[in-house]
Amino acid sequence: MIRAILFDMDGILVDSEPVHEAAVADALAAVGLPPLAPGDYERVFLGRTDWLGFRDYLRETGREDIDLDEVLEIKAAAFARRFPHEVRPLADGQATLRAMAEAGYRIAIVSGALASEIAMVVERFALGHWVEATVSGDEVPKGKPNPAPYLLGAKRLRVAPEACLVIEDAPAGVRAAKRAGMRCLAVDRTGDPEALRSAGADQVVTELTPAAVTALAEHRT
């Protein structure tokens, strides 16, 4: 029986990926690197921690001489600066989170974002009443697609992994959920549902609704 719903944040609860991409661009420019090529943000950064994304990007471009910690600090500052004016709520995600909490499911946010970024979202959109636990990308040794973030989310809710359902929008997050032994409902925000199905999503929808979550949560496997 599903007892807990673990929500990804960026792309599920808030429309923040364009802001993260802009902040990545700010950081690259600050250290003298050219802009990302089309598709590079989705390929290297989407659904992953900033640490993994920048580490892999600097390796690919042969610029491991650049201080990774410095780039991460610049990116975090750029996102915090942009956040108040550029991050928008995703109404379907936030309404579904509230509805599932009110239906009695335990709720966590499990994101590759920094703890400070999760805190900004929870405070700005008044989600604290419904969210029992959070897991950030800087709290786990390995980020998505490693299952560690979702396993920690289950542990913090004191719920077995097999009793958790994950809401995701990125293939890396879907893989993390399935590797953790959890069901996964994926929301196609980019027009590429096949990528989510290929990653192992149990179901793919274009809009998140309490009915879709409940149907998968109550489905007997």
Side-chain angles (χ1 to χ4, degrees):
M1 180 181 294
I2 298 298
R3 297 174 51 213
I5 314 294
L6 279 54
F7 287 79
D8 177 44
M9 186 177 76
D10 298 309
I12 292 296
L13 301 176
V14 288
D15 184 15
S16 52
E17 290 297 354
V19 186
H20 280 292
E21 184 171 2
V24 167
D26 291 343
L28 294 177
V31 296
L33 290 175
L36 292 171
D40 274 356
Y41 178 79
E42 291 78 6
R43 180 178 60 83
V44 183
F45 291 90
L46 183 64
R48 308 177 76 212
T49 64
D50 288 342
W51 189 91
L52 286 172
F54 279 110
R55 182 204 65 180
D56 290 351
Y57 186 73
L58 293 177
R59 284 178 177 176
E60 285 185 13
T61 54
R63 293 305 309 271
E64 292 179 87
D65 57 301
I66 292 176
D67 190 303
L68 179 56
D69 288 337
E70 178 186 358
V71 179
L72 291 170
E73 288 177 7
I74 295 171
K75 190 270 177 178
F79 182 83
R81 184 177 64 252
R82 290 174 174 272
F83 178 86
H85 309 291
E86 299 181 34
V87 172
R88 300 287 180 265
L90 287 169
D92 63 335
Q94 295 194 19
T96 298
L97 183 150
R98 294 184 177 98
M100 300 316 294
E102 290 171 353
Y105 291 94
R106 307 189 70 180
I107 304 296
I109 294 175
V110 179
S111 173
L114 299 174
S116 60
E117 294 168 350
I118 296 175
M120 285 190 287
V121 169
V122 169
E123 179 179 359
R124 177 176 172 184
F125 299 108
L127 299 177
H129 177 72
W130 293 274
V131 176
E132 293 187 50
T134 64
V135 176
S136 62
D138 46 347
E139 292 183 286
V140 290
K142 293 184 178 180
K144 305 171 188 178
N146 190 283
Y150 282 117
L151 291 173
L152 181 55
K155 181 178 180 180
R156 287 184 172 172
L157 290 178
R158 299 181 298 282
V159 175
E162 60 269 23
C164 296
L165 187 155
V166 168
I167 312 295
E168 265 288 351
D169 73 314
V174 173
R175 292 189 184 96
K178 298 309 294 180
R179 290 170 182 172
M182 302 175 181
R183 295 183 200 178
C184 183
L185 176 64
V187 185
D188 176 27
R189 302 291 198 194
T190 66
D192 189 8
E194 188 54 40
L196 297 167
R197 293 190 187 98
S198 296
D202 295 285
Q203 185 177 354
V204 179
V205 296
T206 56
E207 182 179 4
L208 189 57
T209 65
V213 179
T214 299
L216 186 56
E218 295 181 351
H219 178 69
R220 299 292 185 263
T221 57

